[in-house]
Amino acid sequence: MKVIVKRFLVCMFLIFVMPFVAYAEDDRMKELERKINELSQELQKIKAQEVDKKVNVITQEIEKLKLGAVAEPKYESFAGLGPAASKVYGIEKGISLGGYGEISYSNYRDSTKKDFGDAYRFILYAGYKFNDWILMNTELEFEHAGIGNAQSKESEVYVEFSYLDFLLSKPFNIRAGLLLMPVGFINEFHEPTVYHGVLRPEVETNLIPSTWRELGIMAHGEPIENLTYKIALTNGLRADKFSNSTWIRSSRQQGAKVNADVSAIVANVNYEFIPGLSVGGSYYWGEGSAGKGGDVKASTDKEAEVSLYEVHADFRYKGLELRGLYVAGEVDNENDAFKNDSALKKVGKEVDGWYLQAAYDIFPLIKPGTEMSLSPFIRYEQYDTNKEVISGTHDPTLDKTVITFGFGFKPHPNVVIKADYQWKDTESAKPKGTASGQDANKIDQFNIGAGFIF
Amino acid sequence: MKKCFFITFLLIFTIGTGLHAPSIVEGKVYKTKDDALKEVFPDADAVEKINVFLGKEEQKKIEAMAKSKLESRIFTFYAGRKGNTIAGYAVFGSHVVRTKQEVYMVVINPDSSIRQVEILAFYEPEEYLPSKRWFQRFAGKILDNELWPRRGIIAVTGATLSVNGITQEIRKVLAVFKIMVIKEG
């Protein structure tokens, strides 16, 4: 009987208590599940944060690579310089290379004159930054395809400019060395992609003798927003090299065994009224003497003074470019040796010239939204290198008019293909031609060329 | 006469150098990213970072829109937030002018027009850098066929490489912004 009661009680226990036990077990399971879910979410969150953190680090590192010092939050000052300036000491030093080149072909519209082809210029530009405020800038120029001289083809290798620039502050900096004279447009900006026409404007070749460079020291800067100035003291000119057709062009000393007995001063001012419209001018005064540096002085040395001034304006709006320049010059205070020289007395005592140029980029009208350009242009030039002579009579063949019409096509902003036609005329009554009694300055020409900068 | 010139010049240079040498603070790094952000979002409660990673398809779409090749597929935009509104977005980048870099910041309005373009560092000689006024002319411009040199953007003699380069960079970041940040188009 006792056994039956015991078994009954066990059964009853199992029937009534086990469900409670099972229920409690279920609760625990649920609790466990909830905890596992929570942990898993927590883990996901931590993982996501880890990934985010890693992504942030990577993007910051990439940003540093792209922006350099700009991405650095704090600078340390160095050697008394401002923090931003001194940061550059650690980076961005070294050499900078560039250059440009141009090749041309000219077909003269006269059967007696041979056509002309030339690998005119190849220029290597090298700059070296010693620190953030001292840099060296040099242009090494190969002209007429090489080192001369095979068969008198007058090849040239020249250092076109080479100077040290001390960048002190925005209004005042110093440049010293072989300097580009700050006169006109072309002398300082003469890359083939910058000017229109296969050949540079004649006014900026024969009156302003581009590329005109001399040894000297220059102050330059921007004292007022959009107003820039340059003022330089340089060596003077070789008075024995003046000519009636190209005036002072051959008298440039170009940094080669310079006669530093003669000096010159040149000043230039440019003001940008609104973006796209700038107006400027320059004045040059210089002494001229004969012979190169180191030669023995002689009483027969030809001597003269040269003054020159020019004013210019440049306007750009969308595809339109307008440009104008006027220049006038004078040779003065000549000594007897100069005045009595049979060639030098024909030199222009007074010269002047001007040009106007208009160009328009029509490529966006054909295909908008591209870096290519196609710019037809027209330039009208009038100049006289013999307006008034030292003695004798004015040569009307040197009173020239040149009309240039053509185009420049740029498949890339730094590559240009050019073609143009030049109508040439003078004030002389002579017919055009190369023979005696004829005027070679009246011969028209067709030019094609290619140029690049890099 | 000549001696006078030399003496005058030497005086100008000596005095000029003396006056200006202590103020050599205009290095080639004009401003840091952090300082630039503080300046463009002075009242922002927060400046939020938006990292943008481009897939191949998105890259193609952006290149077609900007009409330029992208050199990077990672961009970081900074959104200046004031309360619930976004005051604007800033993006930083760099490109090579000749052989050296210029580092720029483009500030974009929420309607994807340009608010401001600023050069933060310039490692080439500064004569290749267009004027501040030239950069101000970008304000209000949008990504269209006028955002090209010699159209809506004036070309600058002597700064051709910089003008072409920065205009191209601006087109790229505007296209990335439109497609990836405000998901337009």
Side-chain angles (χ1 to χ4, degrees):
Chain A
M1 180 68 191
K2 271 185 182 174
V3 173
I4 291 168
V5 170
K6 265 184 191 172
R7 281 180 184 168
F8 174 78
L9 284 175
V10 168
C11 284
M12 288 307 285
F13 178 81
L14 285 173
I15 289 164
F16 289 102
V17 177
M18 277 314 282
F20 290 104
V21 172
Y23 186 75
E25 198 64 23
D26 194 38
D27 258 8
R28 255 178 55 208
M29 286 298 286
K30 275 184 183 163
E31 179 63 19
L32 273 172
E33 261 178 36
R34 197 177 57 79
K35 278 190 174 163
I36 287 169
N37 271 339
E38 263 181 24
L39 279 172
S40 152
Q41 275 173 11
E42 201 63 30
L43 197 66
Q44 290 292 334
K45 227 167 144 184
I46 289 166
K47 272 187 183 167
Q49 278 173 351
E50 272 300 304
V51 171
D52 268 0
K53 205 172 137 191
K54 281 179 185 168
V55 166
N56 259 329
V57 170
I58 292 167
T59 51
Q60 270 170 17
E61 288 302 309
I62 289 169
E63 200 169 48
K64 262 191 217 167
L65 286 176
K66 281 184 184 172
L67 309 184
V70 170
E72 297 285 345
K74 288 258 180 265
Y75 287 166
E76 294 295 323
S77 188
F78 177 82
L81 298 179
S86 58
K87 182 68 198 174
V88 189
Y89 269 92
I91 56 151
E92 294 295 344
K93 288 182 188 177
I95 201 151
S96 160
L97 285 172
Y100 69 91
E102 52 190 326
I103 297 162
S104 68
Y105 162 80
S106 295
N107 164 244
Y108 300 103
R109 311 304 292 160
D110 186 289
S111 56
T112 62
K113 196 168 177 181
K114 290 170 185 167
D115 286 358
F116 183 85
D118 203 7
Y120 195 179
R121 293 186 177 92
F122 177 75
I123 273 87
L124 268 181
Y125 156 98
Y128 190 85
K129 206 172 141 197
F130 298 95
N131 57 30
D132 66 310
W133 65 283
I134 304 176
L135 61 90
M136 179 280 296
N137 219 1
T138 296
E139 264 194 29
L140 187 63
E141 176 181 63
F142 289 78
E143 272 199 4
H144 313 295
I147 303 172
N149 197 325
Q151 300 158 3
S152 305
K153 289 177 198 158
E154 296 166 2
S155 305
E156 283 180 359
V157 175
Y158 253 106
V159 174
E160 195 159 86
F161 65 73
S162 182
Y163 59 73
L164 282 167
D165 223 351
F166 300 91
L167 303 170
L168 303 174
S169 67
K170 202 172 176 187
F172 185 84
N173 304 285
I174 293 173
R175 189 173 287 182
L178 183 59
L179 311 171
L180 287 178
M181 303 297 270
V183 183
F185 292 110
I186 299 291
N187 204 54
E188 291 187 287
F189 302 111
H190 45 252
E191 286 97 339
T193 51
V194 171
Y195 65 88
H196 293 284
V198 176
L199 307 170
R200 297 173 180 181
E202 290 192 16
V203 169
E204 293 207 69
T205 305
N206 293 330
L207 290 186
I208 300 169
S210 303
T211 308
W212 188 8
R213 63 275 192 185
E214 305 291 359
L215 292 176
I217 184 161
M218 173 188 279
H220 65 99
E222 190 178 350
I224 302 164
E225 194 73 15
N226 305 306
L227 177 88
T228 58
Y229 76 93
K230 281 177 182 150
I231 180 162
L233 176 72
T234 69
N235 61 261
L237 297 164
R238 285 281 297 271
D240 54 328
K241 301 276 187 184
F242 292 173
S243 86
N244 64 344
S245 59
T246 58
W247 200 46
I248 58 170
R249 185 172 179 80
S250 300
S251 71
R252 297 170 301 174
Q253 299 207 57
Q254 300 168 294
K257 294 181 181 171
V258 163
N259 179 345
D261 223 29
V262 282
S263 58
I265 186 162
V266 60
N268 167 296
V269 177
N270 269 295
Y271 185 69
E272 189 189 57
F273 282 93
I274 49 165
L277 173 65
S278 63
V279 175
S282 57
Y283 177 78
Y284 170 90
W285 178 88
E287 298 166 315
S289 182
K292 59 182 189 298
D295 283 357
V296 176
K297 284 183 189 176
S299 58
T300 52
D301 283 350
K302 292 120 190 158
E303 285 173 4
E305 285 175 10
V306 172
S307 62
L308 179 149
Y309 74 90
E310 59 86 20
V311 285
H312 59 254
D314 187 79
F315 176 69
R316 284 148 196 253
Y317 180 71
K318 296 203 166 183
L320 178 69
E321 282 176 60
L322 298 174
R323 179 175 274 195
L325 179 143
Y326 173 80
V327 56
E330 214 175 292
V331 171
D332 220 345
N333 281 339
E334 316 87 19
N335 65 358
D336 286 344
F338 187 99
K339 274 194 277 198
N340 296 332
D341 186 275
S342 60
L344 292 177
K345 67 184 176 189
K346 293 179 190 168
V347 165
K349 186 174 177 59
E350 276 184 32
V351 301
D352 72 358
W354 57 274
Y355 74 87
L356 286 173
Q357 177 182 279
Y360 192 83
D361 176 15
I362 58 167
F363 207 83
L365 307 175
I366 304 164
K367 194 181 173 204
T370 167
E371 61 180 10
M372 293 189 194
S373 72
L374 177 64
S375 301
F377 76 96
I378 185 156
R379 182 168 62 229
Y380 185 93
E381 296 181 76
Q382 202 284 315
Y383 70 103
D384 189 355
T385 54
N386 214 211
K387 195 177 173 193
E388 199 178 292
V389 284
I390 307 281
S391 65
T393 51
H394 166 257
D395 181 354
T397 67
L398 299 176
D399 190 352
K400 302 175 193 173
T401 303
V402 183
I403 300 169
T404 311
F405 177 73
F407 71 88
F409 171 61
K410 291 182 189 168
H412 180 277
N414 301 341
V415 176
V416 66
I417 313 290
K418 299 175 176 184
D420 57 53
Y421 193 91
Q422 294 188 297
W423 289 270
K424 297 192 168 188
D425 200 8
T426 71
E427 288 301 304
S428 83
K430 293 174 185 171
K432 77 165 183 181
T434 51
S436 168
Q438 293 181 325
D439 187 350
N441 292 336
K442 284 185 175 177
I443 297 172
D444 297 344
Q445 65 190 77
F446 168 70
N447 312 300
I448 52 174
F452 55 85
I453 58 169
F454 59 90
Chain B
M1 184 74 174
K2 217 166 31 180
K3 273 182 189 165
C4 277
F5 273 148
F6 275 113
I7 290 163
T8 315
F9 261 79
L10 280 176
L11 271 176
I12 291 170
F13 289 141
T14 316
I15 294 167
T17 312
L19 284 176
H20 291 87
S23 64
I24 303 165
V25 290
E26 298 166 29
K28 300 300 179 186
V29 178
Y30 308 116
K31 211 176 275 178
T32 66
K33 186 191 80 185
D34 290 354
D35 288 344
L37 282 172
K38 269 179 213 155
E39 267 183 36
V40 289
F41 304 126
D43 306 322
D45 299 329
V47 177
E48 290 164 10
K49 209 170 159 187
I50 305 167
N51 288 317
V52 168
F53 302 89
L54 307 181
K56 287 272 182 202
E57 282 309 307
E58 290 154 340
Q59 183 187 358
K60 271 187 200 164
K61 205 169 160 188
I62 287 160
E63 284 178 346
M65 193 185 243
K67 288 176 180 150
S68 299
K69 285 240 173 275
L70 291 177
E71 276 96 38
S72 170
R73 286 160 64 193
I74 300 174
F75 290 83
T76 302
F77 288 81
Y78 294 86
R81 188 180 289 282
K82 174 89 180 158
N84 288 327
T85 51
I86 288 182
Y89 300 83
V91 59
F92 300 84
S94 65
H95 74 106
V96 173
V97 179
R98 197 183 275 266
T99 48
K100 300 279 181 190
Q101 279 187 324
E102 73 177 338
V103 181
Y104 61 84
M105 170 181 70
V106 181
V107 185
I108 306 169
N109 291 314
D111 66 358
S112 76
S113 64
I114 300 167
R115 185 188 302 172
Q116 184 184 332
V117 176
E118 196 172 337
I119 296 302
L120 303 183
F122 194 78
Y123 300 111
E124 292 282 0
E126 279 181 336
E127 58 207 71
Y128 301 136
L129 180 67
S131 68
K132 269 188 188 156
R133 257 196 332 190
W134 181 84
F135 283 102
Q136 284 164 7
R137 300 281 285 235
F138 278 104
K141 298 217 182 291
I142 54 164
L143 181 60
D144 62 8
N145 282 335
E146 286 293 295
L147 199 58
W148 289 86
R150 298 180 310 280
R151 304 314 298 163
I153 307 303
I154 295 162
V156 180
T157 306
T160 319
L161 297 175
S162 182
V163 166
N164 289 329
I166 192 72
T167 311
Q168 184 167 296
E169 289 297 310
I170 291 168
R171 283 200 312 275
K172 286 182 204 173
V173 294
L174 283 181
V176 175
F177 177 77
K178 282 181 127 181
I179 290 177
M180 300 301 293
V181 180
I182 58 166
K183 319 272 185 200
E184 187 185 305

